[in-house]
Amino acid sequence: RLLFVAEAVALAHVGRPLVLARWAREAGYEVHFACGERYAPLVREAGFDPIHLTTIVPESFYGRVSRGAFFYTARELEGYVPAERALLARINPDLVIGDFRLSLDISTTLAGVPLLALINAHWSPAAACRFPAPNQGLYARIPAGFREHLFERLRPLAFRIFAAPLNRVRRRFGLPALADFRELYAAGTHCAYLDLPDLEPLARPAPAGHFYLGPVVWAPGEAT
């Protein structure tokens, strides 16, 4: 029994697990699919009965992205966890597959259910860290060349600060904080990279449980 959980702030986070859910159904697994209302029609078109799970609206998500802020507030994430735990108790899955549902590692760990996280390889903690310096706030006042040099030195601290809301929630539920937000993206029993290793290579060996699954591409009309 497989439970797919998609964070419906972007089509990719629903389309990718929807393709995998279709493959799993064709292979004979019992499949359940949970997501927000925005993309629930796509789930129905694929022949699944979508389970409603609250997701923040994309406008809030992308508004925070544009400001260089973390995607969620601690209060929002704290609300996610009880809803997920209730879903896990009702479905009783053997495996949960999540796409950008960052609270799932908390819920599945508390429930003792294995979690497979879906991410792109460049978000892996083992990937080369090529993220540019932000150009908002204080950084906007710093010349570009020096800004990149400064951010290179501050990046570990910046990543830890960026992840602070989710780490606060993890600690409230008795789980340890993680070093930076890339570890939080990949948190789970297993982590699948939806890329080819030749196109998105890692800079060092992948953490235990991480592997390349390869591209998973959804397109309109392909979900059925």
Side-chain angles (χ1 to χ4, degrees):
R1 184 179 298 140
L2 305 180
L3 172 62
F4 289 82
V5 182
E7 181 69 344
V9 293
L11 178 57
H13 300 312
V14 178
R16 300 188 306 189
L18 193 55
V19 172
L20 296 178
R22 182 194 65 190
W23 294 346
R25 179 181 59 190
E26 292 172 352
Y29 290 92
E30 178 185 331
V31 176
H32 302 265
F33 200 102
C35 70
E37 283 299 316
R38 177 172 291 235
Y39 296 114
L42 297 178
V43 181
R44 293 189 186 95
E45 289 174 11
F48 298 104
D49 184 16
I51 302 168
H52 173 72
L53 198 59
T54 299
T55 297
I56 64 170
V57 297
E59 291 77 11
S60 295
F61 179 84
Y62 288 107
R64 292 163 183 168
V65 169
S66 67
R67 298 194 305 271
F70 191 61
F71 319 116
Y72 304 93
T73 65
R75 184 174 182 178
E76 288 166 343
L77 292 167
E78 285 181 345
Y80 274 23
V81 173
E84 292 166 358
R85 295 185 71 184
L87 176 61
L88 293 171
R90 178 157 60 93
I91 302 297
N92 190 26
D94 297 295
L95 175 68
V96 177
I97 301 94
D99 197 320
F100 203 71
R101 186 80 179 186
L102 302 184
S103 51
L104 264 182
D105 183 57
I106 300 172
S107 303
T108 54
T109 299
L110 294 175
V113 179
L115 168 65
L116 170 63
L118 306 176
I119 68 171
N120 287 107
H122 61 264
W123 294 120
S124 169
C129 201
R130 304 189 185 97
F131 303 110
N135 55 12
Q136 298 97 2
L138 177 63
Y139 281 96
R141 306 178 185 180
I142 303 174
F146 182 68
R147 182 169 64 214
E148 293 296 334
H149 177 73
L150 177 64
F151 189 66
E152 182 70 26
R153 293 179 174 274
L154 294 178
R155 185 180 284 117
L157 176 61
F159 282 6
R160 184 179 292 273
I161 292 173
F162 187 73
L166 182 49
N167 271 329
R168 283 200 297 272
V169 177
R170 288 179 63 88
R171 286 192 293 266
R172 286 171 190 169
F173 284 96
L175 272 65
L178 299 178
D180 69 49
F181 74 90
R182 296 176 302 161
E183 292 186 12
L184 293 164
Y185 282 12
T189 315
H190 314 283
C191 181
Y193 303 147
L194 305 185
D195 297 288
L196 295 174
D198 289 342
L199 297 180
E200 287 287 350
L202 301 180
R204 53 187 179 275
H210 288 220
F211 62 95
Y212 280 90
L213 180 62
V216 175
V217 182
W218 176 89
E222 292 186 355
T224 56

